[in-house]
């Protein structure tokens, strides 16, 4: 018998999506350790067995959350907006900071889930490793833009550029609303160095 709030006859993918959406909201706001499985179950309105049928462990749920975060944030916001805002690859590299700047100024800015999970759980934890992999995917995006721009040593450039991105995120979390603008100015110098 379904728990209160669990729709009878709801398609399994709808239930999985509801669980994941609930976890997304909670994990992105409060971190992984700050949210228990019981809270996800209650907020999603599902039975414990239902959650574990879709996500055999909390780690599996966290990894799915990170995948959704990459889809929405890295691809859907960061990459899409930078490519839209920048006229060419060099401008798109700088536009990454324009996207960050707009994000930092939103009321719902919650810092970077990938950084948060990596620091919270460590690189040896399966979810921490997944977070590091997603950060590497962002670095791959930067490397790709650097290659398109014809910059020398795109891999080294991507590491340096991502340090600026990560640093601006941490600075914004500390309260520096202008962090992305400061980092953008430094990124311009970095681009000149790698031309």
């Amino acid at each position: 018998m379904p728990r209160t709030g669990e729709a009878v006859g709801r398609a399994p993918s709808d239930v999985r999506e509801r669980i994941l959406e609930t976890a997304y909201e909670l994990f992105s706001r409060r971190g992984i350790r700050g949210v228990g499985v019981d809270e996800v179950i209650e907020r999603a309105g599902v039975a414990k067995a239902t959650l574990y049928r879709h996500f055999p462990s909390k780690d599996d749920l966290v990894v799915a959350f990170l995948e959704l975060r990459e889809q929405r944030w890295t691809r859907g916001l960061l990459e899409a907006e930078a490519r839209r805002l920048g006229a060419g690859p060099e401008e798109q590299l700088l536009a990454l900071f324009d996207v960050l700047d707009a994000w930092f100024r939103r009321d719902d800015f919650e810092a970077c889930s990938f950084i948060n999970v990596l620091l919270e759980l460590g690189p040896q934890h399966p979810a921490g490793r997944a977070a590091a992999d997603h950060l590497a995917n962002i670095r791959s995006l930067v490397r790709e833009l650097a290659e398109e721009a014809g910059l020398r040593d795109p891999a080294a450039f991507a590491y340096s550029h991502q340090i600026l991105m990560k640093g601006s995120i941490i600075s914004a979390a500390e309260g520096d609303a202008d962090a992305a603008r400061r980092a953008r100015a430094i990124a311009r110098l970095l681009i000149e160095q790698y031309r």
Side-chain angles (χ1 to χ4, degrees):
M1 178 157 209
R3 283 186 57 177
T4 304
E6 188 172 345
V8 177
R10 185 181 285 253
S13 62
D14 291 345
V15 173
R16 183 183 191 284
E17 185 176 315
R18 183 163 30 114
I19 294 166
L20 186 53
E21 287 294 335
T22 302
Y24 188 95
E25 173 72 24
L26 293 169
F27 291 158
S28 63
R29 294 265 174 236
R30 297 202 346 248
I32 306 307
R33 290 191 176 137
V35 176
V37 171
D38 289 340
E39 184 177 2
V40 175
I41 289 165
E42 181 180 328
R43 297 274 294 275
V46 298
K48 187 175 276 197
T50 301
L51 181 135
Y52 285 117
R53 184 171 40 255
H54 293 282
F55 303 98
S57 71
K58 183 178 179 182
D59 290 346
D60 292 318
L61 181 58
V62 174
V63 169
F65 153 69
L66 292 171
E67 290 168 358
L68 183 58
R69 184 70 174 194
E70 179 173 56
Q71 181 183 86
R72 288 183 179 170
W73 189 85
T74 305
R75 302 295 175 204
L77 177 66
L78 187 65
E79 179 179 12
E81 281 299 292
R83 289 193 181 274
R84 185 184 70 77
L85 293 171
E90 279 191 20
E91 286 302 314
Q92 291 167 0
L93 285 164
L94 295 173
L96 290 168
F97 295 99
D98 298 334
V99 176
L100 292 178
D101 183 59
W103 181 46
F104 296 167
R105 295 174 191 285
R106 289 175 39 172
D107 290 338
D108 63 348
F109 169 66
E110 73 282 307
C112 176
S113 294
F114 306 132
I115 293 171
N116 294 346
V117 170
L118 178 60
L119 294 177
E120 186 177 1
L121 301 178
Q124 302 310 314
H125 189 281
R129 181 73 250 146
D133 291 344
H134 289 293
L135 287 167
N137 292 342
I138 296 170
R139 194 168 46 255
S140 293
L141 165 63
V142 173
R143 186 185 68 239
E144 180 182 314
L145 290 172
E147 288 169 355
E148 291 173 19
L151 300 181
R152 62 181 177 75
D153 201 352
F157 172 86
Y159 272 99
S160 296
H161 190 278
Q162 191 179 38
I163 287 170
L164 295 173
M165 293 174 69
K166 291 175 187 174
S168 70
I169 291 167
I170 299 301
S171 293
E174 291 175 327
D176 180 4
D178 293 324
R181 292 178 183 179
R182 296 180 215 287
R184 188 186 199 280
I186 299 168
R188 186 177 297 282
L189 298 173
L190 186 66
I191 289 169
E192 290 173 13
Q193 181 184 348
Y194 278 86
R195 256 197 209 110

